[in-house]
Structure formats: C-alpha cells, structure tokens
Amino acid sequence: MADITVTEHLLLHQKRTPQATGQFTGLLYDLILSGKSISRRINKAGLLDILGGTGEVNVQGENVQKMDAIANRIMLYRMERCGALCAMSSEEEAELVRVSPEFPRGDYILVFDPLDGSTNIDVNINVGTIFSILRRPEGHTGEVTLEEVLQPGCRQVAAGYILYGPSTMLVLSTGQGVHGFTLDPGVGEFLLSHPNMRIPEQGHIYSVNEGNWKNWDEPTRDVLQWFHNCETPDGTSYSSRYVGALVADFHRTLIYGGIYLYPPDRKKPQGKLRLMCEANPLAFLAEQAGGKASDGAGRILEKQPDRLHARTPLFIGSAKDVEAVERIYARCAQA
Ligand code: F6P
Ligand code: MN
C-alpha cells in the first residue's frame, strides 16, 4: 500500500466535506507541526535538563513539570499564529487566551491539555497532547466571550491526541470515524497506520487507580467489584492495567477495548479529569469509534461546562463495559 500522509488524508476529507474550509485544514496542519516539535523535545528530554518540575503549581493545583511548560509554550506560540483561531484554552492557563489582534483571527476555538500524564516523563513512560476543536457560534464577532467557549462536547468539530510513546502517534477524528497516524521520524511525516479505528463492543481490561478504593462510595465499589468478577465472552477474567497517563490508558482501550474509569471520590467529588480538555475530546473519539463515554449517569458529550476547568467523573471505552457501569449506578440510586 502506498503511504498516505496525514496532509493527504486531510485534503481528501476536505474535498469530501462541503463545509470544510482551508482554514480548518490549516489549523490541523499547525497543530500537527506543534506535536512534532513537542515530540522532538520529549525524545531528547533526558539529555537537555528539561526533566523534573519547575517548582510551580498550576491552576489545577498540580506541580508543573518543565516539559508541561515547554509543551504549553510551543502550542500557544504556534497556534496563535495559525490564522484559524479566535481563542484557546489550555490546561496550564487559568484564563481563556484570546488571539492577539496583531495576528489574523479565524472562527475556531482550540482547547488542549499540552502534556497529559506529564509526571510519567521522568520515568520515560508515555505522555501525550490532547486537543478539542470547537467552532465559534454563528453570527458572533468581536471579542470572544467565555460563554461562546463553554460548549458541550457534542459540538466539537474535531478532536484527537498525539501520543509520545515508543512511536509518536496522532489519533484524530473530524467526525468521520477515527484514524491513527504514526510519525516516521526519518521522513518527518505522520503516515496513516490505523485507518477506521473501532473499539471492540466488550473488552477484557479495566483501568483505574485502585489506590482510591478507601475514598470511594459503595456504588463505585460495586462497579469495581463487577469488573473483578465479570467474564469476557470467552470466559476469561478481566485484567487490570493502569499507566496513570489518561492518553495512554485511553489509547490502549481504543485498540483492545475494555474500560478506563476515573470515578468521583471523597477527596474529588466531581472527579479528577477536566471535562473540556480531557474527557470531551476522548469521548468524541470513543463515540466515533463505536464506544461510549459516560459520567456514570449520562453521556459526557452532553454535559454543559460551567467553567473552563470544570471536572467530571469519566467512564470510557467499550459500549457494553460503559453500559454496565451506568446500570450499576442507576440500580444503586434506586435502592
Ligand atoms: O491529567 C490528569 C492525569 O495525569 C491523567 O493523565 C491520569 O490518568 C490521571 O491524572 C492520573 O491520576 P491519579 O494519579 O490520581 O491516578
Ligand atoms: Mn491531563
């Protein structure tokens, strides 16, 4: 098979989608370029004194790693200049970042987590950049307001991630299925390696930080006990896997099936993960691949964010596994 580059793939989709403009393709192109720059820095992190923390604590109350700050700067710098955006929201920035008037502005809004799972970087384990692309609501001009940005995930026009692992991979959906591309470092291009990714209907892996057990309520413990005891269609038990980088745990779930869970707990009653820059983009990919994403009671993509850094519980992966979680919570709520 001839290699298809991500640029060729995007241009093909642009031709097939009448509403797609060159502006949108340009946005993705610059996003991919930012991902390549971050990938290069990460590959050399151990050699460049860019491991470890900056000593600062971010808006989320987490220690900022040097690579978090570098990835954030790369994204903000390049994307502000891409000409397709009017605003950005980063996990590392407390406020909305409006594109400066000195640059051309477009109709899109980019929400991103510059380096998910960054505490893994010191031990040379996968991290990734997660992104969500929204369109400014029709008819709005002038300075972008926060209300325009606070859209439910079902309004995303594209979402994806770049996973910096043994290979660097881009996993992307523009609403026409999910496609995976692997970076060929020699050529410097992402090549289509995983066309039309689909999540198996039921998996054999559950992925959760079980160290939180003592802080979980009874319904959540019931959910976990379900996965301890249930069987796959071929009669084997579920296995447990937890990288501790959402993007990596999700990537495995997308390919093998199963479920990733970050339930609410006593210390984090709203859950830990960010709705707009983590849960929404991955929920979009999960649904596009035939899977599901829920907060335990309903669809992630229908949740109305009340602020940029709103948090949510997250149950994501194979449709049957996510449905089992919703069933258990619903049964407990009735009891
Ligand atoms: O961004 C939040 C995050 O680092 C995710 O990547 C990861 O899945 C999760 O937190 C890990 O949280 P914990 O350390 O509580 O298991
Ligand atoms: Mn993250």
Side-chain angles (χ1 to χ4, degrees), residues 156-185:
Q156 291 170 107
V157 292
Y161 55 83
I162 300 159
L163 178 68
Y164 313 106
S167 304
T168 295
M169 271 195 79
L170 164 71
V171 175
L172 174 70
S173 178
T174 55
Q176 300 173 55
V178 179
H179 306 283
F181 304 83
T182 302
L183 182 64
D184 180 333

Side-chain angles (χ1 to χ4, degrees), residues 134 145-152 276 304-308:
L134 297 159
T145 63
L146 187 57
E147 286 63 41
E148 289 173 56
V149 177
L150 298 178
Q151 301 182 32
M276 292 194 73
Q304 173 61 49
D306 58 359
R307 63 212 140 86
L308 285 179

Side-chain angles (χ1 to χ4, degrees), residues 62 91 113-118 128 130 245-247 273-274 277-278:
E62 296 163 350
E91 192 196 281
D113 179 352
L115 207 61
D116 177 65
S118 55
I130 308 177
L246 171 66
V247 65
L273 301 173
R274 272 56 53 139
C277 69
E278 296 180 315

Side-chain angles (χ1 to χ4, degrees), residues 226-248:
W226 162 268
F227 290 109
H228 293 162
N229 296 322
C230 77
E231 287 185 347
T232 63
D234 55 17
T236 54
S237 302
Y238 274 49
S239 291
S240 162
R241 296 279 185 276
Y242 192 70
V243 177
L246 171 66
V247 65

